[in-house]
Amino acid sequence: MSTYPIVRNRRLRGSQAMRNLVRETALTVNDLIYPLFVTHGEKIREEISSMPGVYHLSIDELEAELREVAELGIQAVLLFGVPDRKDEAGSSAYDANGIVQQATRRIKELHPDLLVVADTCLCQFTSHGHCGVVHYNEQTKRGDVDNDASLELLAQTAVSQAQAGADIIAPSNMMDGFVAAIRSALDAAGFSHVPVMSYAVKYASAFYGPFREAAHSTPQFGDRRTYQMDAANAREALREAEADIAEGADFLMIKPALAYMDIIRMLRDRYQLPIVAYNVSAEYSMIKAAAMQGWLDEKAIVLESLTGLKRAGADIIITYFAKDIARWLR
Ligand code: PBG
């Protein structure tokens, strides 16, 4: 018997079949959610310059896109709306004929089995670009996001998305009490069967840069640091997750993903809810940019990174690479 552990480990690495046999984690197409940016108008299929391969799509263009998504075996899409009008209160977010509501109805018509996850936030819909209502604060002498006034509008948004047919409500606004407010509004409106995928742990992050260009949601003043988390904090993530679980969250999301794998592991070890990692826009753009220069092997880098997210404890991954991965895994 060999006394060298290294030799014992290497015995299990001798061939691809052996490596497959002892694999601890697998990335599969069932784990993936593909984000879509929908916009008003017709025949619009406009590439987002900082996210090559990702498009703004008008509703008529969804048909071809969804055929591809469904054919690849992807189970869910995450919808972001790019509206044609914005105002102080973000009213196009909770309009029954808002862009997300229209797109949701169309998707459920075309593919009743494809899950529609609706992003519930106001930042794409407000003229100031914040995730809630902004009120002037006499004490601080500046515009502040009014937490409780925002909750009402977010709850209204969630209900109108569920009415349009959304299968999962994904609030990304990080207001205090947002899961409870949305849960009780959904229940009261007859949608107690619709789960809430909470962006429980969302860091204030430079990794959202390309998304803000894509969604036209850059704050017009200030930043999101009063409601999103500080990258230096981990214990605070537990407080956020605990609050959301107590308020009735069905999924816990961590965002961004790759710079926060310790947080994914921590939440996986502590809680029993499905854990979702959001592989955000800059995580996509960085790999794309380097791949376009021929500096790295895109497929290998993406599969290794996302397998890493699964190993860290993510059950589900939201990623702009979803279609590529589905193809590569075939
Ligand atoms: C809106 C929202 C953001 C993202 C998803 N929902 C941006 C933000 O908080 O500024 C970022 C997603 C990405 O970067 O891919 N609240």
Side-chain angles (χ1 to χ4, degrees):
M1 194 181 96
S2 166
T3 51
Y4 301 101
I6 184 100
V7 174
R8 276 207 298 278
N9 290 339
R10 287 192 54 184
R11 278 202 284 265
L12 301 182
R13 293 177 196 147
S15 67
Q16 190 58 50
M18 188 72 86
R19 291 190 292 272
N20 287 345
L21 193 67
V22 300
R23 272 204 133 167
E24 297 173 27
T25 29
L27 180 65
T28 84
V29 66
N30 289 335
D31 310 326
L32 307 175
I33 300 180
Y34 185 55
L36 290 174
F37 296 94
V38 287
T39 189
H40 296 281
E42 268 172 56
K43 296 209 171 12
I44 295 173
R45 188 179 179 83
E46 218 176 285
E47 193 168 47
I48 295 157
S49 60
S50 55
M51 301 177 73
V54 180
Y55 297 83
H56 282 145
L57 297 171
S58 51
I59 291 183
D60 56 319
E61 290 285 325
L62 279 176
E63 198 167 334
E65 183 73 21
L66 293 171
R67 203 177 310 120
E68 200 187 352
V69 165
E71 219 165 80
L72 286 167
I74 293 169
Q75 310 293 331
V77 292
L78 170 60
L79 278 191
F80 290 106
V82 182
D84 53 4
R85 70 186 164 82
K86 302 187 186 226
D87 57 32
E88 288 273 309
S91 60
S92 53
Y94 38 91
D95 179 340
N97 267 321
I99 185 64
V100 171
Q101 289 80 354
Q102 284 187 40
T104 302
R105 284 194 290 269
R106 183 69 184 138
I107 296 172
K108 295 313 287 187
E109 238 168 61
L110 292 166
H111 295 275
D113 296 333
L114 183 68
L115 296 173
V116 172
V117 186
D119 179 82
T120 306
C121 195
L122 299 183
C123 62
Q124 287 112 266
F125 306 92
T126 49
S127 43
H128 44 72
H130 278 287
C131 303
V133 192
V134 172
H135 285 151
Y136 184 73
N137 184 323
E138 288 296 339
Q139 259 128 37
T140 58
K141 303 266 177 267
R142 51 164 210 203
D144 274 347
V145 174
D146 182 329
N147 195 84
D148 295 2
S150 305
L151 290 183
E152 258 167 65
L153 300 183
L154 290 162
Q156 235 174 289
T157 304
V159 169
S160 84
Q161 291 169 334
Q163 277 163 345
D167 299 284
I168 299 176
I169 297 299
S172 62
N173 51 82
M174 286 296 276
M175 297 298 125
D176 280 341
F178 69 124
V179 174
I182 286 172
R183 180 74 271 154
S184 64
L186 287 173
D187 292 351
F191 296 104
S192 53
H193 57 286
V194 173
V196 174
M197 178 182 282
S198 172
Y199 288 63
V201 181
K202 180 172 177 180
Y203 286 91
S205 171
F207 284 93
Y208 308 148
F211 174 95
R212 290 184 187 170
E213 182 203 321
H216 307 150
S217 64
T218 306
Q220 298 306 301
F221 65 87
D223 54 39
R224 303 209 203 291
R225 290 177 191 280
T226 60
Y227 43 103
Q228 298 181 352
M229 281 183 52
D230 184 337
N233 295 356
R235 289 191 302 268
E236 188 186 358
L238 294 179
R239 297 208 301 275
E240 288 284 355
E242 259 153 38
D244 286 11
I245 292 169
E247 290 175 28
D250 300 285
F251 300 80
L252 294 177
M253 196 192 300
I254 294 110
K255 175 185 176 183
L258 290 170
Y260 299 87
M261 287 167 81
D262 56 327
I263 309 297
I264 296 174
R265 167 51 53 198
M266 196 170 72
L267 263 55
R268 167 73 299 150
D269 286 344
R270 261 173 237 240
Y271 305 116
Q272 306 304 321
L273 295 180
I275 299 287
V276 188
Y278 197 143
N279 179 225
V280 299
S281 55
E283 299 175 33
Y284 175 84
S285 302
M286 289 193 305
I287 293 177
K288 276 284 170 196
M292 285 163 81
Q293 298 282 332
W295 290 343
L296 47 75
D297 176 344
E298 180 178 0
K299 174 180 169 183
I301 294 273
V302 171
L303 293 177
E304 183 175 336
S305 305
L306 273 76
T307 299
L309 294 176
K310 294 280 323 255
R311 191 194 63 245
D315 301 298
I316 300 163
I317 302 171
I318 302 175
T319 179
Y320 304 97
F321 288 115
K323 289 196 299 182
D324 299 316
I325 294 168
R327 258 180 234 113
W328 293 330
L329 292 178
R330 281 232 153 132

